[in-house]
Amino acid sequence: MSNIEKNNPMSAEEVLKLKTIKAKSAEKSANLKLSAKEPEMETIDGRAYPKGMKSVAITMNEKSAVDENLETDFFYPTHSDFEYQPKLEPKKDRKPKFIERENFLSAEGARTIFGVDQRKVFNSTAYPWRCVGRVESSLGIASGVMIGPRHLLTCAHIIDWKPNNQTGWLKFTPMYYNGSAPYGSSWGIQTYYKHKVAGPTIDGTEVQFDYVVVVLDRPIGNSTGWLGSKSYSDSWDGQASFTHAGYPADLTGTQRPTYQTGIALDGDFWSPDDNQSIQHKADIWPGQSGGPFWGYWNGSPYAVATQSAHNPSINFASGGSDLVGLVTRARNEYP
């Protein structure tokens, strides 16, 4: 048995016992400054956006020299508090559900909430919650997380794939909350992918590869910090150890983030370890796609999958060692 299979994530009960780590220094605004060179713009439907990104395909059979590396590092900025449970939004800011699920998308295939809804709306600039943010593209809204100094992990199906290794624009705003952007926003300049997943439907093969790593135009992670990444192990199946965060359309209209803890994942035993379709019954709604699933090892957060798709009976995430490989290559080529 490999080391990764022996190395289980902390249980939800163990994480609850961990105490908040207070910031050791004040956050410096210098870390938030924009890149010196503004991106070239183009006009779409009367609005100006940065031009689209380039994309780099990592073919199905292509492996990098670092394939034996089954994880990447995390970074906790000591100017931030480290909270294992985020601050919930104040009662004064709480609003009715943006969409009543019972009356919206009532078709059988729309079922993505199983039992009592466990999601909670939060507003926290503590680590690691500050690493999660709202993703915008010409295709709509999704979620994502910082996975390196200037590297975003999100779903492949939010990318507007175009010919000649080009894609449409993408914008990321960490800890977006009702229009606020405490760390500003960044624009994508390059996308690393394994498979061009395009909605609105996602088939059984695509759900194994529904993740990309987007290189951003500035190192926003130096301020927010970032999560590590790990290759998912089937030995973790059934362990209610994972957390998910994202921007749902039903509860908050994608304007405020929600989180859920104590989630059990179930990797496909028939899928190779490098690309896995991972089943779960976390509470999910469109907008949360691309949001990370992470666990804690020795108190440190590592993302293992991104939210992808659903059918009437189960929800799906995507993970595996290929996810770690994308992170590694993007970080090596764009430090």
Side-chain angles (χ1 to χ4, degrees):
M1 182 179 292
S2 68
N3 289 333
I4 193 170
E5 289 173 326
K6 296 177 182 177
N7 187 14
N8 291 323
M10 298 175 69
S11 67
E13 292 75 16
E14 290 172 324
V15 173
L16 280 174
K17 295 177 182 178
L18 296 175
K19 296 181 179 179
T20 296
I21 301 171
K22 290 297 182 181
K24 295 181 180 179
S25 61
E27 187 161 4
K28 297 180 180 179
S29 60
N31 289 332
L32 305 180
K33 66 181 181 180
L34 293 172
S35 56
K37 184 179 180 181
E38 293 296 325
E40 187 178 356
M41 307 295 286
E42 62 181 349
T43 300
I44 302 174
D45 296 331
R47 296 181 65 184
Y49 296 101
K51 281 195 170 180
M53 304 176 285
K54 296 179 180 179
S55 63
V56 177
I58 313 301
T59 62
M60 298 302 176
N61 296 323
E62 180 180 352
K63 300 296 178 183
S64 69
V66 291
D67 275 337
E68 295 304 316
N69 182 17
L70 297 178
E71 67 179 54
T72 58
D73 65 2
F74 70 95
F75 169 57
Y76 160 52
T78 56
H79 55 250
S80 165
D81 291 346
F82 191 148
E83 294 179 348
Y84 292 95
Q85 301 295 321
K87 290 183 174 63
L88 300 182
E89 67 174 358
K91 288 184 178 180
K92 65 181 179 62
D93 294 336
R94 294 179 187 174
K95 298 175 176 62
K97 293 177 183 176
F98 189 82
I99 292 171
E100 287 294 343
R101 292 183 301 273
E102 293 77 10
N103 300 320
F104 183 79
L105 293 179
S106 57
E108 183 181 5
R111 180 180 177 84
T112 57
I113 307 295
F114 303 95
V116 178
D117 193 338
Q118 300 295 317
R119 296 172 298 174
K120 298 178 182 178
V121 182
F122 70 94
N123 184 10
S124 173
T125 54
Y127 179 86
W129 312 97
R130 63 198 275 138
C131 302
V132 176
R134 186 174 186 258
V135 175
E136 301 173 59
S137 82
S138 59
L139 301 182
I141 304 298
S143 304
V145 70
M146 293 303 295
I147 205 75
R150 56 188 300 195
H151 309 89
L152 166 70
L153 175 66
T154 187
C155 58
H157 71 257
I158 196 61
I159 302 298
D160 183 10
W161 304 105
K162 296 182 181 296
N164 302 319
N165 295 324
Q166 299 292 312
T167 77
W169 60 270
L170 181 141
K171 180 182 179 183
F172 177 65
T173 307
M175 202 44 233
Y176 176 96
Y177 183 89
N178 274 353
S180 69
Y183 313 103
S185 297
S186 293
W187 299 85
I189 61 173
Q190 181 116 310
T191 299
Y192 288 82
Y193 69 96
K194 293 291 292 189
H195 192 81
K196 291 182 178 180
V197 180
T201 60
I202 297 175
D203 65 29
T205 297
E206 291 173 328
V207 78
Q208 297 175 237
F209 299 96
D210 195 7
Y211 45 78
V212 293
V213 176
V214 176
V215 179
L216 302 173
D217 64 356
R218 65 187 180 104
I220 201 169
N222 289 341
S223 178
T224 63
W226 61 81
L227 272 61
S229 66
K230 276 185 183 285
S231 176
Y232 187 80
S233 169
D234 289 334
S235 66
W236 306 335
D237 287 355
Q239 298 181 30
S241 299
F242 296 95
T243 296
H244 172 77
Y247 286 77
D250 62 331
L251 286 185
T252 69
T254 73
Q255 292 298 305
R256 290 151 25 241
T258 66
Y259 82 100
Q260 182 180 350
T261 60
I263 299 167
L265 301 178
D266 183 10
D268 286 343
F269 67 87
W270 59 86
S271 299
D273 289 342
D274 51 359
N275 46 82
Q276 286 213 46
S277 169
I278 300 171
Q279 299 183 0
H280 65 87
K281 285 196 172 182
D283 298 322
I284 297 297
W285 197 260
Q288 291 173 245
S289 290
F293 288 85
W294 75 86
Y296 292 93
W297 282 260
N298 297 320
S300 301
Y302 290 83
V304 300
T306 60
Q307 171 57 25
S308 175
H310 65 87
N311 66 28
S313 60
I314 201 72
N315 296 323
F316 295 92
S318 304
S321 60
D322 280 349
L323 184 155
V324 179
L326 285 187
V327 175
T328 302
R329 178 157 174 180
R331 287 180 55 176
N332 284 344
E333 296 183 0
Y334 284 85

